[in-house]
Amino acid sequence: MSSIWAGDYWIVSNLIQDVSRPAVLEQAVARLHGGGLVAIPTETVYGLAADVQSQTGVARVFAAKGRPADHPLILHVAADSVLAQWAQDYPDYVPKLVAAFWPGPLTLVLPRTNAVPDTVTGGQDTVAVRSPAHPVAQELLDRLSSGLVAPSANRFGGVSPTSAAAVLSELGAYLDPQRDLILDGGNCHLGLESTILDCTGACPQVLRPGAIGLGDIAVILPDLLTGQAGQPGSLGEGPVPRVSGALDSHYSPRATVRLAAATQLEGWESTQSRQIGLIADHATRTPAGWRRLLAPASLTEFARGLYGALRAADELALAEVVAVLPAADPAEPLSLAIVDRLTRAAAG
Ligand code: TXA
Ligand code: MG
């Protein structure tokens, strides 16, 4: 049994384990091998992990999330693992991306080998792979013989958790304290999910914007990303792959999210019985009677705090959240990722 400070109250749960206890990672490995689910901290958001080799574990991930079976999972691997085990016939630029960005917030979609179970890929012939940079995730991956599937540890369509307490509030009712665990590795450093890059073609295409942008990738692959069909800053064209995060509505709290310009705020009426929450940079004035949820002084703070702010809106039972988007600037990948997530939250 352990307790965790949730901001203004303590949560006591035997699901949450403090990773500084030496036996905890051993226990996590044993549970994963036995088909258990282990929520893990990563540098982006918390993931709900299962051993990729455990059919039971993979099936339980879909069940705990309420996720449709045709939405594929990201395979998480140790930084020094052999990619050829999971992917084959990929373009020559892929090892360069791996060398430059792993471990880190970059997921690569690659042609898969038969070692990847069909249940993980939703029947597609590609697999999404990443190596998370959080030391707890890496240590766990080092102790396992294979890899971990790990979608964000939220119910399908909901807001990704960036703390162990948030995982518990999302999934506590769907996890089994006898079989499953939540590893508490603190708050996630980045706060938004990894960049997903489709690497099945001659030119990589961004499927989901994240902390690593096309500008960062162009530094590593200067020839590929300039002057060719996949222009830097433009998203992938062609058929839309099955990416659950690419559904128009996603990342949604129960509160209605509306997007607004800072100049529009005064027109909104916030009353005691119907209080509005505000997410906007620190320079935006909070109108009288509104509840400020986030006032970031930088894009880094915006990204890190965004999901916690959306979650707080629900905890406060706010009916409405108004968000002022940062300017979308291709030179600032986090701005594109924040705009993407908030736009989808508003569509939900
Ligand atoms: O930062 C992250 O990527 C987090 C942490 C936990 O690692 N994980 C995460 O997983 O965001 P998830 O399942 O919530 O989102 C993964 C996205 C989904 O939208 C899924 O459809 C897409 O990746 N995906 C998985 N496999 C794919 C594939 N083969 N082709 C295209 N998209 C794929
Ligand atoms: Mg997700």
Side-chain angles (χ1 to χ4, degrees), residues 2-25:
S2 70
S3 48
I4 183 167
W5 181 240
D8 19 48
Y9 54 92
W10 287 95
I11 302 172
V12 179
S13 166
N14 51 358
L15 274 165
I16 295 183
Q17 297 290 333
D18 177 352
V19 288
S20 60
R21 275 190 32 232
V24 164
L25 285 185

Side-chain angles (χ1 to χ4, degrees), residues 7-84:
D8 19 48
Y9 54 92
W10 287 95
I11 302 172
V12 179
S13 166
N14 51 358
L15 274 165
I16 295 183
Q17 297 290 333
D18 177 352
V19 288
S20 60
R21 275 190 32 232
V24 164
L25 285 185
E26 263 165 58
Q27 187 188 17
V29 169
R31 292 201 171 188
L32 287 164
H33 283 153
L37 305 181
V38 176
I40 56 168
T42 84
E43 78 281 35
T44 58
V45 300
Y46 272 72
L48 182 65
D51 183 342
V52 64
Q53 313 283 17
S54 167
Q55 275 184 23
T56 308
V58 174
R60 292 186 66 231
V61 166
F62 282 94
K65 278 188 63 93
R67 181 166 174 145
D70 62 353
H71 285 272
L73 304 177
I74 296 179
L75 177 63
H76 292 61
V77 298
D80 60 356
S81 74
V82 180
L83 196 56

Side-chain angles (χ1 to χ4, degrees), residues 25 28 68 102 130 135 151 160 171 180 204 223 250 342:
L25 285 185
W102 281 11
R130 98 170 183 100
S160 301
L171 293 179
D180 307 324
D223 305 338
H250 210 78
L342 271 172

Side-chain angles (χ1 to χ4, degrees), residues 65 67 151-154 158 160 193 208 244-245 250-251:
K65 278 188 63 93
R67 181 166 174 145
S152 52
N154 52 281
S160 301
E193 302 84 351
R208 179 176 71 185
S244 65
H250 210 78
Y251 314 107

Side-chain angles (χ1 to χ4, degrees), residues 147-348:
L148 290 172
V149 292
S152 52
N154 52 281
R155 294 283 288 168
F156 183 65
V159 176
S160 301
T162 53
S163 67
V167 176
L168 187 69
S169 88
E170 275 285 321
L171 293 179
Y174 304 91
L175 299 178
D176 175 354
Q178 306 302 319
R179 285 184 99 171
D180 307 324
L181 281 180
I182 298 171
L183 298 181
D184 183 4
N187 291 341
C188 297
H189 182 65
L190 290 172
L192 296 178
E193 302 84 351
S194 61
T195 304
I196 301 182
L197 201 62
D198 181 345
C199 298
T200 56
C203 196
Q205 306 274 300
V206 174
L207 300 180
R208 179 176 71 185
I212 293 175
L214 279 181
D216 304 306
I217 291 163
V219 172
I220 308 301
L221 309 175
D223 305 338
L224 274 186
L225 284 164
T226 45
Q228 290 197 20
Q231 291 169 1
S234 73
L235 296 189
E237 288 170 25
V240 178
R242 273 183 254 147
V243 185
S244 65
L247 296 176
D248 279 348
S249 75
H250 210 78
Y251 314 107
S252 300
R254 282 187 296 280
T256 302
V257 178
R258 295 188 207 284
L259 306 179
T263 51
Q264 294 172 298
L265 300 184
E266 297 297 343
W268 249 287
E269 206 186 336
S270 181
T271 61
Q272 223 165 19
S273 61
R274 204 186 144 79
Q275 199 184 27
I276 300 176
L278 178 65
I279 293 176
D281 76 35
H282 75 299
T284 305
R285 210 180 64 77
T286 312
W290 288 43
R291 176 76 184 226
R292 187 71 175 210
L293 298 171
L294 189 66
S298 64
L299 289 170
T300 310
E301 280 182 27
F302 207 141
R304 199 177 284 158
L306 178 58
Y307 287 154
L310 293 176
R311 203 168 284 286
D314 284 348
E315 279 160 14
L316 293 163
L318 301 183
E320 194 175 344
V321 173
V322 172
V324 178
L325 296 178
D329 175 2
E332 297 280 6
L334 282 181
S335 73
L336 304 185
I338 293 165
V339 168
D340 172 72
R341 304 309 192 277
L342 271 172
T343 305
R344 292 183 205 284

